[in-house]
């Protein structure tokens, strides 16, 4: 077999469909976010231009917050660069312990465990729980993230997929299972591509009625919702209904890493049996220290969340006035619906080339075919002129590409594939 030819043919297929991913080389600069420098390399050398980023998951701009940066500087000078290996071999640093105590407090749980990413946290936790609970059945929301799907798959337990955000379908499926069979209900709070929010209290009520353990992914909600940034469960007064909550340090908290929080026993169980934790080098102490500073700041400050909510409202209004089809939703995520992979890629390229606006296209397999979109995430640091420029740029691109506007496009783009 000609391996290189196979790889080249697969890549050519992606390019023909308009799904080939091109990475923009960006240089974030402290104090200028959401503006960044874009490096363009070509036959005539390297060019640098300023662009406005509209698709970052650094939702609150905490990646450049002075308190976070100072904490990382101090930790780097005090403890050095790396953790030295896995926590089982090299020891658990003070920074990791303090961070886990803070995260447990954030979610009103007994304990927490930090992983190297949110993906690893989901994969390790769900695979460990589902594989070791005897005869376990996992009930998974139809739109759960790939990391949850991978964890469930790797646990090799029986799985059922219930209709998205549908407690009634979940109830029917759980009712058909024996009461004494271990069951896990795994779902998210904020779904990152559509921006919709799950009915947490109703879902948990169904799960508890049938004796199921609840596992909630709050990756796109931690730092963002609730009086202390504890997520949608905190906002909805449902923290006590969640057995295991999973979150990330890489989005609203502005760094990298993931975690789970729960009872002391379930966290010790995952620490002791979770291969994704046991065999992975720990986060650098400076990362843990920066994350701790971010978490503690957002527990006490609502200023970032309030400014972000205001900008989300302003952006929604500006895009609606411009006739840009934003999928309606209650969260901070604004899916601008295109409905075609090639034109979604083209829209992204035109925004960057002609308007110095960076928004990556979201195509299959991240979303279903026919629902391709641009995913806009306003931050508290976007200015009113940034919002006006975004609306005008999108209007120009939509006209040049002949894209459908308003509610008609949203209905067409979200129809079943």
């Amino acid at each position: 077999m000609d391996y290189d030819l196979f790889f080249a043919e697969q890549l050519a297929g992606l390019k023909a469909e308009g799904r080939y991913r091109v990475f923009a080389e960006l240089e974030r600069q402290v104090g200028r976010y959401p503006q960044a420098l874009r490096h363009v390399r070509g036959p005539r050398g390297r060019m640098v231009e300023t662009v406005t980023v509209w698709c970052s998951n650094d939702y609150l701009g905490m990646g450049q917050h002075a308190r976070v940066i100072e904490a990382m500087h101090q930790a780097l000078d005090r403890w050095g660069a790396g953790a030295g290996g896995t926590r089982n071999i090299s020891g658990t640093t003070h920074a990791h312990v303090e961070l886990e105590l803070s995260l447990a407090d954030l979610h009103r749980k007994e304990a927490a465990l930090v992983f190297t990413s949110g993906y690893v946290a989901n994969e390790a936790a769900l695979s460990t729980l589902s594989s070791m609970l005897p005869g376990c059945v996992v009930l998974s929301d139809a739109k759960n993230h790939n990391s949850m799907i991978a964890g469930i798959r790797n646990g090799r337990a029986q799985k059922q997929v219930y209709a998205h955000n549908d407690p009634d379908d979940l109830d029917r499926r759980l009712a058909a299972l024996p009461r004494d069979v271990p069951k896990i209900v795994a779902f998210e709070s904020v779904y990152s591509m559509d921006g919709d929010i799950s009915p947490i209290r109703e879902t948990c009520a169904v799960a508890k009625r049938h004796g199921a353990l609840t596992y909630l992914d709050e990756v796109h909600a931690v730092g963002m919702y609730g009086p202390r940034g504890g997520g949608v469960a905190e906002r909805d007064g449902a923290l006590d209904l969640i057995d295991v909550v999973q979150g990330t340090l890489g989005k609203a908290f502005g760094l990298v890493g993931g975690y789970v929080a729960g009872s002391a026993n379930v966290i010790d169980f995952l620490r002791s049996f979770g291969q994704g934790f046991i065999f992975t080098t720990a986060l650098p102490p400076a990362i843990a220290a920066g994350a701790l500073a971010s978490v503690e700041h957002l527990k006490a400050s609502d200023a970032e969340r309030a400014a972000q909510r205001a900008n989300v409202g302003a952006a929604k209004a500006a895009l609606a006035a411009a006739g840009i089809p934003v999928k309606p939703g209650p969260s901070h995520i604004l899916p601008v619906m295109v409905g075609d992979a090639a034109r979604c890629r083209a829209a992204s390229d035109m925004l960057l080339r002609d308007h110095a606006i960076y928004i990556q296209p979201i195509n299959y397999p991240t979303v279903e075919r026919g629902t391709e979109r641009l995913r806009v995430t306003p931050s508290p640091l976007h200015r009113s002129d940034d919002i006006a420029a975004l609306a005008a740029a999108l209007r120009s691109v939509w006209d040049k590409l002949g894209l459908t506007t308003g509610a008609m496009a949203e209905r067409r783009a979200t129809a079943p594939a």
Side-chain angles (χ1 to χ4, degrees), residues 344-372:
C344 193
R345 174 78 262 173
S348 174
D349 290 345
M350 291 174 66
L351 284 169
L352 188 58
R353 182 187 66 239
D354 300 336
H355 303 278
I357 288 175
Y358 174 67
I359 309 176
Q360 270 289 71
I362 306 294
N363 294 332
Y364 178 85
T366 306
V367 296
E368 294 179 359
R369 297 181 191 275
T371 71
E372 292 83 1

Side-chain angles (χ1 to χ4, degrees), residues 48-71:
V48 180
E49 65 176 1
T50 299
V51 300
T52 302
V53 177
W54 273 102
C55 57
S56 174
N57 284 340
D58 185 1
Y59 292 134
L60 299 177
M62 292 302 294
Q64 65 163 10
H65 195 280
R67 183 176 175 183
V68 173
I69 293 172
E70 178 60 25

Side-chain angles (χ1 to χ4, degrees), residues 266-291:
V266 72
I267 296 304
D268 198 13
F269 176 83
L270 293 173
R271 181 189 69 86
S272 301
F273 292 100
Q275 296 185 21
F277 173 80
I278 294 170
F279 295 103
T280 301
T281 298
L283 287 176
I287 297 292

Side-chain angles (χ1 to χ4, degrees), residues 205-229:
V206 170
K208 298 304 180 185
R209 187 160 61 246
H210 296 284
L213 181 144
T214 52
Y215 184 102
L216 178 65
D217 176 317
E218 288 253 42
V219 159
H220 291 274
V222 290
M224 302 290 295
Y225 298 88
R228 301 196 312 152

Side-chain angles (χ1 to χ4, degrees), residues 123-354:
E123 195 285 327
L126 283 168
S127 64
T128 303
L129 291 168
S130 61
S131 66
M132 296 196 68
L133 286 169
C136 181
V137 179
V138 183
L139 288 297
S140 176
D141 186 283
K143 291 193 175 182
N144 276 345
H145 189 263
N146 178 272
S147 58
M148 302 177 78
I149 295 169
I152 296 165
R153 181 190 302 118
N154 292 341
R156 299 182 181 179
Q158 182 183 341
K159 178 186 75 171
Q160 293 190 29
V161 177
Y162 68 92
H164 177 55
N165 280 352
D166 190 340
D168 291 334
D169 185 45
L170 176 64
D171 191 28
R172 287 189 292 270
R173 292 175 178 276
L174 285 169
L177 297 171
R179 175 74 185 184
D180 59 350
V181 167
K183 297 170 280 287
I184 299 172
V185 173
F187 63 112
E188 301 181 40
S189 58
V190 177
Y191 285 84
S192 63
M193 290 300 117
D194 288 336
D196 54 336
I197 294 177
S198 65
I200 293 177
R201 297 190 69 88
E202 294 86 343
T203 302
C204 289
V206 170
K208 298 304 180 185
R209 187 160 61 246
H210 296 284
L213 181 144
T214 52
Y215 184 102
L216 178 65
D217 176 317
E218 288 253 42
V219 159
H220 291 274
V222 290
M224 302 290 295
Y225 298 88
R228 301 196 312 152
V232 177
E234 183 191 32
R235 185 199 70 178
D236 293 352
L239 288 175
D240 59 328
L241 302 179
I242 306 300
D243 295 310
V244 181
V245 61
Q246 181 266 347
T248 185
L249 305 170
K251 293 183 170 56
F253 293 130
L255 288 104
V256 66
Y259 65 90
V260 292
S263 71
N265 282 334
V266 72
I267 296 304
D268 198 13
F269 176 83
L270 293 173
R271 181 189 69 86
S272 301
F273 292 100
Q275 296 185 21
F277 173 80
I278 294 170
F279 295 103
T280 301
T281 298
L283 287 176
I287 297 292
L292 174 62
S294 184
V295 172
E296 288 297 311
H297 176 81
L298 290 175
K299 283 181 183 178
S301 173
D302 193 53
E304 292 81 7
R305 288 187 286 271
Q308 199 260 0
R309 289 192 296 268
N311 277 350
V312 168
K316 285 183 177 180
L319 296 186
I324 302 303
V326 177
K327 184 178 176 66
S331 77
H332 58 284
I333 295 166
L334 281 58
V336 176
M337 307 306 294
V338 178
D340 176 83
R343 293 204 290 178
C344 193
R345 174 78 262 173
S348 174
D349 290 345
M350 291 174 66
L351 284 169
L352 188 58
R353 182 187 66 239
D354 300 336

